[in-house]
Amino acid sequence: MPKLLDLFLTFARIGGLTFGGGYAMLPMLQKEVIETKKWATEEEVMNYYAVGQCTPGIIAVNTATFIGYKTCGIPGGIFATLGVVFPSLVIISIIAAFITNFAELAVVKNAFAGIRVCVCVLILNAVVKLFKKSVIDIPTAVLFIVIFIGSILTDISPIIFVIAAGAAGIIIQTLTQKGKSEGGKQA
Amino acid sequence: MIYLQLFFEFFKAGLFAIGGGLATLPFLSDIADKTGWFTHGDLADMIAISESTPGPIGVNMATYAGFNTGGIPGAVIATLGLICPSIIIIIAIAKILDKFRKSPLVNHTFYGLRPASVALISAAGIMVVKMALLDMDAFHASGNILDMIKYKEVILAVALFFLIKKFNKLHPAVFLAGSLAVGIILRLGGA
């Protein structure tokens, strides 16, 4: 299959199975992009998510553009992004045309109460995997705890957390490397 | 002309909404005020619909407003408007990242960004758990902490957890479809 078509179809599948916003996309990305297609590694997807959170636009769209670009250049970025929004376009057009009180339908309510439970478990599994790759030492553990608690208890924008964490990463790494090289000189 | 306006308004929303999730909401509400393409009631409905259909709320709202204003071409153009800034900005950033991939500065930044990203996802996950497994209204009404737990949902979650562990080669869609069926059979939505 041509790579661009493959990108479009894979991201259409991911977009069609992502219920509840950008974060719920993670389990699908892990399955399709990392495990099956091997278009990106776990760390790269994590990097894209982080950048996607502090740049304009929708996280799911930003992540699709990133992975598409990495796989196939600019056309890849465009095809992956069109793929990820395609299911929404079709589904919402149908709903807008035919169903006026879609979210009130009993069968819809019940079905999605069930789906939400599954999304919880899928996100939990995805987070556990990512946690092992990203929280690798004491400074990263501290960053994780502070931002986790901070974003639950306060209204601080995720952008602030992301920028602060990037700065903290630079400072921590620079200091530890300085410490190491000085330690090396003394020895 | 209406197509151009649709493209432009949603282009602005895509350009200025940072952080995903409901970050597009204030911009959508602004579009509602200015153009009358949809009402604030429509917007509230769309949040409910977006929770129960796949896809980001911003994309869903663009499609909905575009469809109501200009049929299928309108839906396509509004959605393209919304995602256009992302495509341009992310490709520019990806190019820069490519160039500086070996740079220690980029690596150091990501060393800090990755745990931050996992923390933000975990915090968002707590919100989903609250919505799916806990009944805050019943808890506030009775004050009894046991009323807070949706037992059927929690049992389903535990069952799914072990099933996914055991059959981790299966596509997540299989488990989503299974949960959808369980939801309808057990009337988990209470409807």
Side-chain angles (χ1 to χ4, degrees), chain A residues 31, chain B residues 159-172 174-175:
Chain A
K31 185 79 195 172
Chain B
L160 280 168
F161 181 78
F162 286 108
L163 282 171
I164 292 172
K165 253 207 153 70
K166 189 154 196 292
F167 302 103
N168 64 356
K169 287 277 167 286
L170 286 180
H171 197 284
V174 177
F175 302 107

Side-chain angles (χ1 to χ4, degrees), chain A residues 3-85:
Chain A
K3 200 118 187 218
L4 288 177
L5 184 65
D6 198 11
L7 271 171
F8 180 85
L9 291 176
T10 303
F11 274 95
R13 224 170 19 242
I14 294 172
L17 290 170
T18 298
F19 294 91
Y23 296 110
M25 183 184 176
L26 211 50
M28 304 299 161
L29 279 178
Q30 277 177 337
K31 185 79 195 172
E32 298 268 354
V33 171
I34 300 172
E35 289 171 26
T36 312
K37 305 281 182 188
K38 299 200 168 36
W39 284 333
T41 64
E42 202 103 32
E43 284 90 347
E44 282 169 329
V45 168
M46 225 46 246
N47 295 351
Y48 300 156
Y49 252 75
V51 175
Q53 268 165 350
C54 52
T55 46
I58 295 152
I59 296 177
V61 170
N62 292 352
T63 311
T65 310
F66 252 127
I67 295 169
Y69 175 82
K70 193 206 163 222
T71 316
C72 241
I74 292 175
I78 293 170
F79 272 80
T81 308
L82 292 179
V84 88
V85 299

Side-chain angles (χ1 to χ4, degrees), chain A residues 97-113:
Chain A
F98 298 111
I99 315 171
T100 43
N101 55 349
F102 174 80
E104 300 302 316
L105 298 176
V107 67
V108 173
K109 271 191 173 165
N110 289 330
F112 285 95

